Amino acid sequence: MPLPFYQVDAFAATPFTGNPAAVCLLQGDRDADWMRGVAAEMNLSETAFLAPQDDEATYRLRWFTPTDEVALCGHATLASAHALWTHEQASSEAPLHFETASGRLTTRRDDGWIWMDVPTDPVAPTDPPAPLLDALGDTTPKEVGWSGRDYLVRLPDADAVRALQPVFSSLNALEEARGTIVTAPAPADDVDFVSRFFAPRVGVPEDPVTGSAHCALGPYWAARTGHTTLTGRQVSARGGTVRVRLDAPDAERVTLGGQAVTVVEGRLNA
């Protein structure tokens, strides 16, 4: 039976910006190899698979890059909530809950924005490994941290983040890391920090906008600015804005806000 799917630009107010994700609604059990095959076919940074649970507002959610299943993906979660509210008649007045490899994630709508409650991914200072320094070329980091999932590299300024051309073969040598976040404070009054995210080892050379990276960026910049309400701008070619709210810089949960727009509706015949 054909399955409904949607391609949604997440962390975007207009089409062809932000980060595209495919959202596939399942009607029964499917194994990981099938999901991986669909994700490779979609060839987007993430494909989300939703399976309804007994509670009509709760779904099992899994995320796949074109090559790997991942434990957390913010933009595909945002895209999933948008698809359910916009196309699948989920009540816009009630939150949606997703059971995932990172625990239960909850999303809510508020004045055109979707807000996701997700775990933080705090960063501890670390000595940069040689492949990471090689990947940065002539760019000298001001600080390097490790979240247990990704490296976070603070560069001197926003221009250095935009100009960076990393050596992907060196990033691929970081076998312990999903990816690498680069960041710097932002000069604009409406943005607190900028970032980019690279994860070639899991099939995503550069991710356009990365919700899960803001699970690390939020507490990192909150600790350095003293602000628990922040706005980040991911300065990839497509670009996107992520709002960040924490109860405290050392909070264990963070709320990420973004917008989304559907660009494709279809049926999956596989």
Side-chain angles (χ1 to χ4, degrees), residues 76-236:
T77 303
L78 190 152
S80 296
H82 168 84
L84 291 169
W85 277 318
T86 305
H87 305 291
E88 295 296 324
Q89 300 180 337
S91 172
S92 61
E93 303 302 318
L96 292 170
H97 307 287
F98 300 103
E99 300 295 344
T100 78
S102 292
R104 170 171 277 216
L105 310 182
T106 298
T107 59
R108 295 176 173 83
R109 296 180 84 177
D110 181 19
D111 194 26
W113 287 72
I114 297 172
W115 293 91
M116 303 177 288
D117 173 59
V118 293
T120 57
D121 197 15
V123 171
T126 190
D127 293 328
L132 181 58
L133 294 177
D134 291 343
L136 298 175
D138 294 333
T139 304
T140 301
K142 293 183 69 67
E143 188 175 8
V144 176
W146 169 245
S147 73
R149 174 165 51 202
D150 300 318
Y151 284 104
L152 185 149
V153 179
R154 180 176 176 177
L155 297 185
D157 51 43
D159 287 342
V161 173
R162 292 186 176 91
L164 182 67
Q165 295 183 327
V167 179
F168 288 110
S169 59
S170 296
L171 292 179
N172 270 325
L174 298 169
E175 296 182 357
E176 72 281 12
R178 177 190 66 159
T180 300
I181 307 162
V182 296
T183 188
D189 291 339
D190 59 341
V191 178
D192 296 287
F193 60 88
V194 298
S195 67
R196 291 170 70 190
F197 182 75
F198 306 98
R201 200 177 61 78
V202 295
V204 184
E206 180 171 4
D207 199 32
V209 192
T210 315
S212 61
H214 287 75
C215 297
L217 288 162
Y220 178 85
W221 285 112
R224 283 150 183 81
T225 64
H227 300 154
T228 54
T229 299
L230 299 155
T231 300
R233 178 74 182 174
Q234 197 152 331
V235 290
S236 64

Side-chain angles (χ1 to χ4, degrees), residues 4 10 19-20 31 37 40 44 59 63 67 81 106 118 128 133 149-150 152 157 166 177 179 213 216 231 252-253 262:
N19 199 352
D31 63 31
L44 299 170
Y59 295 80
W63 309 278
T67 60
T106 298
V118 293
L133 294 177
R149 174 165 51 202
D150 300 318
L152 185 149
D157 51 43
T231 300
E252 295 183 355
R253 307 287 296 185
T262 304

